[in-house]
Amino acid sequence: MLRRAGHSLGSRLCQRQGQLEPAVQGLKPSFAVAEEAVEGARDASTLLVKQRMKSVANIGKITKAMKMVAASKMRSAQVNTMNSRGIAEPLLKLLGDLPDAQGKKNVYVPITSDKGLCGGINTTVCKYTRASIKAEDGEDKEHSIVVLGEKGRSQLQRDLRASIHSTVADTGKVRVTFAQAAAIADGINTTEFDVARLIFNRFHSAISYKPTIATVLSPDSLEKEAEAGGLLDQYEIEGPDRAELLQNLSEFNLASTLYNALMENNCSEQASRMAAMESSTKNAEEMLGKLTLTYNRTRQATITTELIEIISGATALAG
Amino acid sequence: MTYNKYAGLCADMLRAALKEPAKTKAKAREAIYYRSAVWENGQPTKQVITDITEGTSGKLS
């Protein structure tokens, strides 16, 4: 094919010396099909790379935008989170942190997000939930799970389906408020637990959000701990309403701890999403750089091949 | 009537008693919206949307 092309090219060269372009153009009608087939094959690889470059650049733009949205959401959530700590901390000081409290009925409340693309926080919460259930497992111990968030539900329903008591979702759809946390807490109370464990990500800073387990006790467990010399024993609780007072305290404790946990997890989710989108943008840029190099190399190679064909045709004709 | 419900009703009444600029800000904190489902034998039963976006003020139950 090359020899035939060179022949016709050569004949035209003889007629018009030194004018390469018209000769090449003149080549087209005679060997139109062959030429176009070769040209199409050359363009196909560059076209593919170009398409890929366009899509990778778009992805980079989207992830960059998502990162900025998450950063701004995190900033406003941080303020609310710090404020919510003021509700949960006094109860912690009053009742003490009791991670190794024992009880017959244990309820686990993993708090996860509804939306994805937020890094590994939901997986770590589910991992801690499973580990916690395993650690507390014993004879005559009952476990049940109240899952908050769609991501946790889809992960935990794979192997802990039988233990799930209820699921809650769309907590962040309108707004996370104390009233909402109180309503959900009343729902958790219907399980009549002895010990409730809330598993969530506590927000420390934009790069540090650690999984935490907050323990909330029922009034009976509180009594037991107080008798065993817990912090609550420092206070004199007089009167016939002792049981009712402890009941109210326990309910309020669950609601405030849950509210704090929801806010902290929300803030951690935004921070984690920011980090995930940042690494995603960086990867996209890196990929784009590599693709650009490949594209340029392919483009230059095709031009060089064309030149070689033309020149070798000309030399074949001359020699 | 749990303590949480009681405290919530008191808070709603207090919010209703506020004066204007603080009132609208506080009213935003009254909203309750979430979707829940109770599970039985590893299967979710009906989904219930709890939507009390106007708060529980005035409803003593």
Side-chain angles (χ1 to χ4, degrees):
Chain A
M1 191 194 77
L2 204 60
R3 227 175 277 141
R4 246 187 278 144
H7 215 29
S8 162
L9 176 64
S11 62
R12 285 203 168 59
L13 263 181
C14 284
Q15 293 165 23
R16 292 173 260 181
Q17 276 189 356
Q19 289 182 25
L20 204 58
E21 281 218 12
V24 174
Q25 276 174 8
L27 199 60
K28 270 212 165 124
S30 335
F31 296 93
V33 178
E35 256 300 297
E36 262 161 28
V38 176
E39 266 185 12
R42 281 187 220 137
D43 271 358
S45 57
T46 55
L47 206 72
L48 265 162
V49 179
K50 207 168 191 184
Q51 279 176 348
R52 202 162 155 74
M53 276 169 66
K54 214 189 288 186
S55 74
V56 168
N58 275 337
I59 289 175
K61 275 186 214 142
I62 291 171
T63 53
K64 194 169 190 183
M66 284 184 75
K67 174 188 154 212
M68 292 193 190
V69 167
S72 75
K73 279 193 181 165
M74 187 195 75
R75 241 172 279 132
S76 71
Q78 214 170 328
V79 179
N80 292 333
T81 307
M82 297 302 161
N83 290 339
S84 80
R85 284 188 189 165
I87 303 175
E89 264 161 29
L91 281 159
L92 198 64
K93 286 196 191 128
L94 172 70
L95 303 167
D97 188 19
L98 308 149
D100 45 349
Q102 297 292 319
K104 189 162 164 263
K105 262 201 140 191
N106 298 286
V107 86
Y108 299 87
V109 187
I111 300 173
T112 57
S113 63
D114 288 325
K115 302 201 186 116
L117 293 179
C118 52
I121 51 167
N122 296 323
T123 320
T124 47
V125 165
C126 295
K127 203 166 52 168
Y128 267 63
T129 312
R130 289 199 191 96
S132 185
I133 293 178
K134 226 180 194 176
E136 292 294 323
D137 213 1
E139 26 177 274
D140 79 275
K141 283 220 180 139
E142 295 169 35
H143 305 285
S144 70
I145 310 176
V146 177
V147 195
L148 267 69
E150 290 286 339
K151 293 292 156 187
R153 182 183 61 85
S154 57
Q155 282 193 33
L156 289 172
Q157 75 180 11
R158 259 184 245 143
D159 50 341
L160 294 170
R161 204 167 246 271
S163 322
I164 296 181
H165 171 269
S166 55
T167 57
V168 175
D170 287 351
T171 51
K173 193 165 184 184
V174 173
R175 209 190 151 130
V176 177
T177 61
F178 190 87
Q180 177 199 57
I184 300 173
D186 282 344
I188 298 175
N189 259 320
T190 62
T191 64
E192 294 181 2
F193 58 88
D194 289 320
V195 183
R197 291 189 173 82
L198 280 68
I199 305 139
F200 59 100
N201 295 93
R202 191 149 200 273
F203 181 82
H204 293 282
S205 77
I207 46 172
S208 159
Y209 21 90
K210 304 211 179 97
T212 321
I213 304 182
T215 319
V216 175
L217 304 178
S218 69
D220 300 324
S221 309
L222 276 174
E223 277 274 26
K224 245 198 296 174
E225 289 292 328
E227 278 162 26
L231 286 177
L232 190 57
D233 204 29
Q234 295 175 7
Y235 300 92
E236 190 75 59
I237 308 175
E238 295 180 356
D241 298 331
R242 192 189 167 95
E244 198 183 313
L245 194 141
L246 284 179
Q247 175 76 23
N248 291 344
L249 193 62
S250 159
E251 283 170 10
F252 186 63
N253 188 16
L254 182 62
S256 15
T257 317
L258 185 62
Y259 176 62
N260 183 41
L262 280 167
M263 301 244 75
E264 301 262 3
N265 199 58
N266 180 40
C267 205
S268 309
E269 176 197 335
Q270 301 301 340
S272 182
R273 183 168 292 127
M274 200 175 82
M277 292 297 105
E278 161 77 53
S279 72
S280 191
T281 316
K282 223 189 299 176
N283 286 341
E285 279 170 14
E286 200 183 298
M287 208 183 278
L288 191 63
K290 281 199 200 138
L291 282 169
T292 312
L293 287 172
T294 320
Y295 176 70
N296 284 331
R297 223 178 290 136
T298 323
R299 190 176 52 88
Q300 286 166 351
T302 60
I303 292 172
T304 312
T305 322
E306 272 193 49
L307 279 172
I308 288 174
E309 281 176 11
I310 293 163
I311 292 169
S312 58
T315 50
L317 183 69
Chain B
M1 172 64 78
T2 66
Y3 177 75
N4 290 327
K5 244 186 176 171
Y6 167 71
L9 284 169
C10 296
D12 289 345
M13 286 185 207
L14 184 61
R15 274 179 226 140
L18 280 172
K19 279 197 193 171
E20 225 352 281
K23 190 171 190 175
T24 37
K25 275 205 277 188
K27 281 285 180 187
R29 296 195 285 265
E30 228 175 68
I32 303 175
Y33 182 95
Y34 64 96
R35 184 164 45 99
S36 66
V38 182
W39 282 43
E40 258 170 58
N41 303 324
Q43 285 298 325
T45 57
K46 196 161 108 80
Q47 293 262 3
V48 177
I49 297 181
T50 313
D51 188 350
I52 318 175
T53 37
E54 322 84 32
T56 48
S57 54
K59 301 173 201 165
L60 291 168
S61 63

